Amino acid sequence: MLEEKTYSISELAAIIGGSSKRQAIKRKLERRHILYSIQGRGSKATFKIEKIPSPFQEFCMDVLKFDKNTDFEKLRNLYYYCLNDELFMAKPDEEKAMLLEDKGKHISRQTIAGYERKLFDVYFYSKSDTEFIYYFASDGNYRTAEHEEYLEAWHHYWEWKEQTKKELGNLRYVCARIKLKYGGFPRKQGIIQANAIEMPQIRKLIALTNESFEKAYSE
């Protein structure tokens, strides 16, 4: 992650990505609104990073590899609740979206899944392949379920699908029938677990997330 200190051209290029040419690095820093000064000339020049306006954003771009066009306000809001509340992190994405909506912070289920995937990509967190949360979801509705009910719903799905195939030749109504009976379609999500080896980086992300969140809502 980019920090407020002095870097060689090659060190800085390795962190922010792209060309190691001096002008290219200057343009990239300026696009990020990072204040810097340069000492020396040519290939031996060094960049002193004077001020980073959003350390949270820099961490997300440099470490988690988010694009510069990411909605970092939405990302920060999601990470604030996920990283500080294990119970919130463990909930299915549909329920997270509903809870955030109640807090006045709209983030779609698809966006939540994408933001979480970045944490999995760098092995900060992973989804269990042995422990799951079972639930039913449809059209903004959500409810938790026991494993037995989840299996029952899938049994009915395959049974009704086979009947429909034989009798009507139309499979589209099967999902609607499942949703009508159970209030949604059966789904499961692996429980999210932190990677102990990455805890120093996770703690750093938590600190930067909290700092950004508290600054935004105290102004």
Side-chain angles (χ1 to χ4, degrees):
M1 174 190 166
L2 191 64
E3 299 177 4
E4 293 176 357
K5 65 179 188 178
T6 300
Y7 295 91
S8 68
I9 290 177
S10 59
E11 289 173 333
L12 196 50
I15 293 173
I16 64 178
S19 172
S20 59
K21 292 183 178 180
R22 177 169 162 164
Q23 290 302 318
I25 291 175
K26 288 174 63 178
R27 286 194 297 271
K28 185 160 286 191
L29 293 175
E30 288 161 7
R31 283 198 296 269
R32 295 189 185 188
H33 306 291
I34 293 171
L35 300 181
Y36 66 91
S37 59
I38 302 175
Q39 289 84 40
R41 296 183 177 182
S43 61
K44 294 184 178 181
T46 58
F47 282 74
K48 183 178 181 181
I49 304 303
E50 307 280 359
K51 184 172 180 58
I52 300 173
S54 176
F56 168 76
Q57 181 173 328
E58 289 303 313
F59 186 98
C60 291
M61 293 175 67
D62 295 337
V63 179
L64 303 182
K65 305 306 179 185
F66 275 93
D67 182 83
K68 67 181 187 311
N69 296 318
T70 300
D71 187 330
F72 288 100
E73 181 179 351
K74 284 187 176 182
L75 177 63
R76 178 203 62 215
N77 290 341
L78 174 66
Y79 281 4
Y80 179 79
Y81 291 103
C82 281
L83 301 177
N84 287 294
D85 186 343
E86 292 181 0
L87 294 178
F88 185 92
M89 173 72 98
K91 295 181 184 298
D93 297 339
E94 289 85 349
E95 187 175 5
K96 287 177 186 148
M98 293 171 61
L99 292 172
L100 288 168
E101 193 73 43
D102 290 342
K103 299 176 186 294
K105 296 173 175 59
H106 174 75
I107 309 177
S108 71
R109 176 181 65 84
Q110 294 84 352
T111 299
I112 289 172
Y115 288 172
E116 289 176 338
R117 194 174 303 115
K118 290 290 190 177
L119 297 174
F120 306 148
D121 288 345
V122 295
Y123 304 105
F124 281 13
Y125 291 84
S126 62
K127 283 187 178 181
S128 173
D129 55 6
T130 58
E131 296 181 83
F132 300 92
I133 295 173
Y134 301 95
Y135 61 102
F136 292 89
S138 176
D139 303 323
N141 297 314
Y142 163 90
R143 71 174 180 86
T144 56
E146 296 297 328
H147 184 216
E148 292 74 15
E149 187 182 23
Y150 169 85
L151 293 177
E152 177 188 89
W154 275 108
H155 174 78
H156 283 143
Y157 173 82
W158 294 114
E159 179 183 18
W160 295 341
K161 184 176 180 180
E162 186 61 26
Q163 291 175 356
T164 301
K165 184 177 179 181
K166 291 178 179 178
E167 297 170 6
L168 303 176
N170 184 354
L171 302 178
R172 288 181 298 176
Y173 95 104
V174 175
C175 289
R177 188 175 176 185
I178 287 287
K179 292 175 183 178
L180 182 63
K181 179 175 176 62
Y182 293 98
F185 201 77
R187 294 177 179 171
K188 69 178 181 179
Q189 180 170 302
I191 294 175
I192 296 177
Q193 303 166 324
N195 180 357
I197 295 176
E198 295 293 344
M199 281 310 299
Q201 284 285 68
I202 292 172
R203 291 192 188 99
K204 188 169 189 176
L205 174 58
I206 292 172
L208 293 174
T209 301
N210 292 351
E211 178 184 54
S212 177
F213 187 93
E214 290 160 11
K215 180 179 178 181
Y217 290 98
S218 64
E219 294 178 346

